[in-house]
């Protein structure tokens, strides 16, 4: 968790230039909504580039002729007015009802909300930028049902994991596809985008909605649309954003403060454990002697937050400038420049990112051309995450901050390196340059048929240097302890990747009859991805602690070390797809999709796969007008069936027969090749996902209360996993299609406006609540086994796929228990007995998650809070393991350390009746002294049992709290400034 203080300054400047056109007459009017005049509304003559904007009193003036249609629009509102004989036309804008909202879907295909036959949720720019979160992905957390945003690694440049509607594969990719402006991209690129240039994010949850992306869309899609021009010809918009975010470490693992630094009950100033005497506040020496021969002294008092002194206040600075003008009809342009500078809570860890995007477009007759270029450059410097474990070993009596300049020889313990030394001497620098160039070309053959082509090229160049300075036995004044010794090393890596993406479509739009409409898209997709990496390096730097270059490495690594790379890969896909939308009287809509992929990753005889899908939506409030009224204003039901695939578990050259470089073969440091003993089955095929998706959307009281629900059931056949091979084959395992699973879940989204403002500045309260739950069950692992271990943790626990159980299942060594669940202890020592085989602890999947968003606005002041609640699920805590053996665990100090304790709810075997157990009321766990008690916790408790480290994952997280103030529009009248917001 982290505490934040945000300062946001947004300046929107609108410069309006009036042009006169030779039209028949001047049309004027006033644009209002339910709160009064609307300033900045767009007024455009439909089908032309002739447009203007309203002033601060909502007035507009435009040249038009009789019969022209005026399109009047503002955020979330749109009306049309036909010009007649009169010259004055006042327009009242109303919020767009659910059915009128236009949704950008897969491949950029636009539909009204009525026509969408699967689940989705659109997050607008205001929701993304309300708290000035610099990370677009994290800004989505808790706002969309079924969307899980988890931080995979928390650092100066945190990475995130994006999952929609649960798990579909046990070895392949389960993360959502990221698409930016209709080109496939990555989560890391999305994280680099300045939030202010994003217009909307459509989270496509239903399989039918993402089916046109083939197997790449099998896990749902995050569809991002960036902003374009200002929307009208005579308006230039200049937007300046500046934000500063202060970060602090708010929470640390809870540690005991009753006992301080030492071992076996005695205070020892150079120990790394908290097994010392009971704290008494007396002044005591701490740590090794300093360079000047003195020794630090400090009160022998516990401080559970003492390791916070290692961290500093982090700062994130964001500055962005966006200039946009024009519309598609007569040309538009947008230029965005954004700079982010971040100093992490670990001193010296920094991130500098510059992002530039240019977009432009114009329609000339039947031809429309749009293009965009994005470039970002990023420099990141950071230390290793390993220093955290060094901090967790620290006793609560140690004044951590005093040792910042003490080095290893003046550290507070003699056994391990100082985290300050690690921070300064184990470093990495990472440089990334990214260019994304795309175009969208459209030619209208006639009013019913058009052709579109959307080519895109993305190029990434990266380089990194990582180094460790030496701390040798000669440097170590206390060289009896080898844990402090580290060899110097240096590694230099370069990477390059290029992604070519192209969609070509033939688009048809026909009114077959007065009641029946047909829209169809037939297209081709081509993708080509190439990458290469090179890494060189080794150990023992000739010029120590100063010259970081490969020429300074005395002992280069061997190919068998696993640290070197010299590789390239290239994979291509070729696809044909079709999409058909049939509409009947605007209340019944049928969507049919089909896509065939050819993949270079799979064997040529087995690399063609077809993915069909169909969905149906029905709008009762349009079919039966009598049920639509003041209470229920909108109702929609939908259902779909979709088949997709996933071959992400197969590596680029997995089906090829390639040799591998073993360690120690033929002998010593000599290198050679042997056959791959863990191959991929040559004729492996993609996993197949079959999804049934049903949903309901309701709007009440003119959409002041909305309800959306989704139920989905996905079966995955031909799961790709490793199967143990026969010993006679010479193989250890092979990757095959051998498993099955299914996922069931549902999502609920509730939107509400309990209090709606009647006039500008009145109090308004809006909010959203979302609920999600899902379960993934393994139906089959393989023909010869009912479980497979996918990851091992300290040899005590692991992540498993177990037939008939939820996935993922966490198993490990745990307490041996009787039939009543009591822990069985040894009748002599009192120590708990442990299982000889792994036992089930639970699943990491939560029982359910709930997200809350509430916004309150009054007189320009707006307060928004976003939080979520996760119930259930378990996880393995490596921190608990560290705290246990070092004596920092709360449980190790609760009842004193003078001797052992009666293990709660324990029994021991009846010596006279084997297999029968007696309630334990007298056999003590942990012996009868401080030393035996310590031995139990630091050895038996910490190293022999994983169950102690399994924790409940239930949690509440406050994601955002944003407070802002917007100046009243009347104060800015005639200033040239549209709005000023501070928060």
């Amino acid at each position: 968790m982290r505490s934040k203080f945000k300062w946001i300054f947004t300046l929107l400047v609108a410069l309006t230039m009036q042009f006169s056109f030779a039209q028949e007459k001047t049309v004027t009017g006033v644009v209002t909504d339910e709160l009064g005049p609307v300033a900045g509304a767009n007024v455009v003559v439909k089908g032309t580039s002739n447009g203007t904007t309203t002033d601060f009193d909502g007035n507009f003036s435009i040249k038009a002729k009789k019969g022209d249609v005026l399109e009047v629009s503002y955020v979330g509102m749109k009306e049309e007015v036909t010009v007649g004989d009169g010259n004055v036309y006042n327009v009242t804008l109303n919020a767009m009802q659910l059915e009128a909202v236009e949704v950008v879907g897969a491949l950029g295909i636009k539909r009204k909300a009525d026509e969408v036959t699967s689940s989705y949720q659109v997050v607008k720019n205001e929701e993304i930028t309300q708290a000035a979160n610099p990370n677009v992905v994290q800004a989505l957390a808790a706002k969309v049902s079924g969307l899980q945003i988890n931080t995979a690694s928390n650092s100066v440049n945190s990475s995130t994991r994006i999952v929609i509607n649960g798990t579909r594969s046990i070895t392949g990719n389960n993360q959502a596809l990221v698409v930016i402006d209709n080109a496939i991209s990555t989560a890391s690129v999305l994280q680099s985008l300045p939030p202010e240039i994003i217009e909307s994010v459509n989270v496509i949850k239903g399989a039918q909605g993402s089916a046109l992306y083939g197997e790449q869309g099998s896990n749902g899609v995050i569809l991002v649309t960036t902003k374009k021009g200002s929307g009208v010809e005579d308006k230039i918009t200049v937007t300046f954003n500046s934000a500063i975010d202060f970060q602090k470490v708010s929470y640390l693992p809870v540690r005991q403060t009753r006992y301080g630094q030492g071992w076996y009950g005695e205070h020892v100033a150079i120990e790394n454990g908290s097994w010392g005497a009971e704290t008494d506040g007396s002044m005591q020496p701490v740590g090794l002697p300093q360079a000047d021969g003195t020794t630090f002294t400090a009160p022998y008092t516990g401080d559970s937050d003492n390791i916070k002194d290692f961290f500093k206040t982090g700062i994130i600075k964001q500055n962005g400038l966006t200039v946009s003008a024009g519309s598609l009809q007569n040309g538009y342009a947008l230029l965005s420049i954004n700079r982010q500078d971040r100093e992490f809570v670990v001193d010296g860890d920094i991130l500098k990112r510059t992002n530039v995007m240019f977009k432009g477009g114009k329609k000339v007759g039947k031809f429309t051309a749009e293009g965009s270029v994005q470039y970002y450059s990023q420099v990141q410097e950071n230390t290793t995450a390993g220093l955290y474990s060094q901090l967790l070993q620290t006793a609560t009596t140690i004044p951590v901050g005093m040792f910042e300049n003490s080095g290893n020889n003046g550290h507070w313990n003699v056994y391990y390196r100082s985290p300050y030394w690690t921070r300064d001497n184990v470093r990495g620098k990472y440089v990334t340059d990214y260019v994304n160039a795309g175009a969208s070309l459209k030619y209208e053959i006639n009013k019913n048929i058009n052709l579109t082509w959307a080519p895109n090229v993305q190029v990434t160049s990266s380089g990194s240097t990582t180094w460790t300075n030496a701390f040798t036995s000669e440097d170590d004044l206390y060289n009896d302890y080898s844990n402090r010794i580290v060899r110097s090393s240096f590694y230099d890596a370069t990477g390059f990747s290029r992604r070519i993406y192209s969609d070509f479509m033939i688009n048809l739009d026909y009114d077959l009859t007065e009641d029946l409409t047909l829209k169809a898209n037939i297209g081709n997709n081509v993708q080509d991805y190439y990458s290469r990496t090179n890494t060189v390096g080794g150990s023992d730097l000739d010029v120590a602690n100063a010259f970081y270059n490969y020429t300074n490495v005395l002992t280069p690594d061997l190919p068998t070390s696993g640290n070197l790379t010299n590789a390239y890969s290239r994979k291509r896909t070729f696809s044909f797809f079709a999409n058909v939308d049939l509409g009947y009287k605007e209340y019944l809509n049928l969507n049919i999709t089909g896509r065939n992929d050819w993949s270079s990753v799979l064997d040529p005889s087995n690399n063609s796969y077809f993915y069909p899908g169909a969905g149906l939506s029905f709008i009762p409030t349009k079919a039966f007008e009598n049920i639509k009224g003041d209470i229920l204003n909108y109702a929609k039901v939908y259902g779909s069936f979709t088949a997709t695939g996933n071959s992400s578990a197969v590596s680029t050259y997995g089906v090829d027969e390639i040799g591998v470089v073993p360690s120690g073969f033929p002998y010593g440091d000599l290198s050679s090749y042997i056959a791959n003993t863990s191959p991929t089955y040559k004729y492996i095929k993609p996993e197949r996902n079959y999804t049934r998706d049903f949903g309901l959307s309701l709007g009440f009281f003119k959409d002041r209360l909305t309800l959306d629900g989704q139920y989905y059931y996905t079966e995955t056949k031909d799961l790709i996993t490793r199967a143990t091979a026969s010993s006679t084959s010479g193989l250890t395992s092979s990757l095959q299609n051998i498993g099955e699973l299914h996922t069931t879940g549902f999502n609920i989204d509730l939107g509400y406006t309990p209090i709606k403002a009647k006039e500008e500045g009145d109090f308004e309260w809006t909010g959203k609540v979302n609920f999600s739950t899902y379960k993934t069950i393994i139906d089959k692992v393989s023909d010869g086994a009912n479980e497979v271990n996918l990851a091992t943790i300290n040899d005590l626990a692991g992540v498993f796929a177990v037939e008939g159980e939820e996935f993922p299942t966490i198993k490990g060594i745990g307490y041996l228990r009787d039939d009543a669940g009591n822990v069985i202890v040894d009748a002599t020592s009192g120590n708990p007995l442990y299982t000889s085989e792994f036992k089930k602890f639970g699943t990491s999947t939560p029982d359910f998650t709930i997200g809350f968003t509430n916004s309150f606005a009054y007189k320009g002041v707006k307060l928004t809070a976003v939080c979520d609640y996760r119930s259930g699920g378990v996880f393995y805590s490596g921190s608990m393991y560290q705290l246990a053996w070092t004596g920092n665990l709360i449980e190790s100090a609760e009842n004193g350390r003078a001797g052992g304790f009666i293990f709660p709810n324990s029994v021991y075997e009846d010596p006279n009746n084997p297999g029968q157990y007696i309630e334990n009321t007298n056999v003590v766990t942990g012996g009868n002294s401080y030393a035996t008690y310590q031995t139990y916790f630091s050895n038996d408790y910490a190293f022999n049992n994983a169950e102690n480290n399994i924790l409940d994952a239930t949690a509440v997280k406050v994601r955002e709290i944003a407070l802002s103030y917007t100046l009243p529009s009347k104060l800015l009248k005639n200033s040239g400034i549209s709005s000023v917001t501070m928060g």
Side-chain angles (χ1 to χ4, degrees), residues 590-872:
L590 173 66
N591 173 239
I592 301 173
T593 60
R595 175 164 173 143
N596 201 99
D597 286 344
W598 288 264
S599 171
S600 68
V601 170
L602 304 176
D603 186 81
S605 65
N606 196 44
N607 68 350
S608 173
Y609 292 94
F610 180 67
Y611 305 117
L616 186 69
S617 69
F618 174 63
I619 297 84
T621 46
K622 288 188 175 181
F624 312 106
E625 287 291 336
N626 60 320
I627 70 173
K628 180 178 180 180
D630 293 335
I631 297 178
L632 177 66
N633 62 272
Y634 182 71
K636 169 186 168 182
V637 293
Y638 64 83
S640 65
F641 174 81
T642 312
T644 56
N646 186 354
S647 64
S648 60
V650 182
S651 62
T652 304
Y653 302 109
V655 299
D656 298 322
E657 296 181 3
I658 57 175
V660 296
V661 180
S663 178
F665 180 84
Y667 56 85
D669 294 334
L670 295 179
S671 299
S672 185
Y673 291 92
I674 63 172
N676 186 4
T677 58
S678 301
T680 298
Y681 176 57
K682 183 175 179 61
Y683 302 109
I684 198 167
K685 53 189 177 182
E687 300 171 340
R688 300 286 291 194
N689 302 321
Y690 302 96
T691 301
R692 299 160 183 83
D693 183 15
F694 303 94
L696 171 71
S697 296
L698 301 174
F700 300 93
F701 311 110
K702 296 183 179 179
D703 291 339
R704 288 183 61 176
L705 180 67
T706 60
L707 178 66
D708 291 274
Q710 178 201 18
Y711 168 82
Y712 57 92
Y713 178 86
T714 299
E715 291 181 283
T716 303
K717 305 288 187 180
D718 297 323
L719 273 177
I720 298 175
T721 188
R722 290 212 165 269
T724 302
S726 168
S727 57
T728 60
S729 67
L731 305 178
T732 57
S733 66
S734 62
L735 197 66
Q736 299 182 22
N737 298 106
I738 50 177
E740 298 177 2
L741 63 76
H742 71 270
T743 299
T744 306
F746 62 87
N747 303 311
I748 298 174
D749 291 273
L750 178 68
Y752 53 88
T753 306
I755 302 175
K756 188 173 181 63
K758 295 182 179 179
E759 296 181 2
E760 183 180 3
D762 285 356
F763 180 75
E764 182 165 289
W765 172 19
T766 60
K768 294 180 180 179
V769 178
N770 62 72
F771 174 90
S772 303
T773 182
Y774 74 90
K775 292 185 183 298
T776 299
I777 305 296
I778 301 296
D779 298 315
K780 178 183 177 182
V781 174
S782 70
D783 295 330
N786 61 4
E787 70 176 37
V788 59
N789 186 350
L790 302 174
T792 300
I793 309 168
N794 292 337
D795 295 325
L796 294 177
V799 179
F800 288 78
V802 182
E803 193 170 303
E805 300 284 353
E806 278 194 66
F807 177 79
T809 296
I810 299 177
K811 299 177 68 176
I813 299 297
Y815 291 115
L816 194 63
R817 300 176 185 269
D818 65 6
D819 293 338
N822 300 305
V823 175
I824 303 172
V825 299
D826 184 271
T828 303
S829 67
N831 287 348
L833 301 180
Y834 304 120
T835 58
S836 58
E837 298 180 349
F838 281 10
K839 61 180 289 187
K840 177 185 174 183
F841 296 132
T843 177
S844 60
T845 303
D847 297 329
F848 62 86
T849 58
I850 303 178
F852 302 90
T853 300
N854 277 285
S855 293
F856 306 92
Y858 181 67
K859 301 294 184 183
V861 178
K862 186 174 183 180
L863 174 65
T864 301
V866 181
C867 65
D868 60 2
Y869 172 70
R870 168 187 170 131
S871 177

Side-chain angles (χ1 to χ4, degrees), residues 435-599:
V435 177
N436 178 0
S440 176
L441 307 176
K442 179 180 178 181
Y443 180 75
E444 298 178 5
I445 297 176
N446 54 46
K447 67 177 184 178
N448 304 114
I449 304 174
N450 65 74
L451 309 177
T452 58
W453 181 39
N456 178 270
V457 178
Q458 301 170 47
V459 176
T460 304
S461 176
S462 61
S464 68
T465 55
T466 57
W467 64 90
T468 299
N469 292 325
F471 188 73
T472 66
S473 58
E474 289 77 17
D475 299 323
D476 194 351
L477 300 178
Y478 311 92
N479 55 19
D480 292 335
Y481 305 102
S482 60
N483 285 341
R484 291 155 59 93
I485 306 305
V486 60
R487 296 171 68 184
S488 60
S489 63
F490 172 83
Y491 293 93
D492 188 295
T494 59
F496 173 86
S497 67
R498 183 205 63 215
R499 183 193 300 274
I500 298 174
Y501 182 90
S502 170
D503 281 322
F504 175 79
M505 289 194 292
I506 303 172
N507 309 292
L508 303 102
D509 187 350
Y510 283 94
D511 292 332
L512 300 180
T513 68
E514 192 173 299
D515 297 327
L516 188 63
T517 61
L518 167 68
K519 296 179 181 178
N521 314 89
I522 303 170
N524 162 248
N525 173 257
V526 177
Q527 296 183 53
D528 186 322
Y529 181 76
Y530 170 82
S531 68
R532 66 172 184 264
T533 57
N534 292 279
T535 305
V536 296
S539 303
D540 305 322
L541 303 185
D542 188 17
V543 180
N545 304 346
F547 183 46
Y548 304 110
N549 191 281
Y550 183 60
T551 60
N552 194 35
V553 173
L554 296 177
T555 311
D557 278 359
L558 296 171
T560 55
S561 66
N563 297 324
L564 308 181
T565 60
N566 182 19
Y568 75 90
S569 68
R570 186 180 184 186
K571 58 182 178 182
R572 288 172 286 180
T573 59
F574 185 83
S575 310
F576 282 109
F577 57 83
N579 173 78
V580 177
D581 289 293
L582 285 169
Y584 179 71
K585 287 189 174 182
E586 295 189 340
Y587 65 74
L588 187 64
N589 300 279
L590 173 66
N591 173 239
I592 301 173
T593 60
R595 175 164 173 143
N596 201 99
D597 286 344
W598 288 264
S599 171

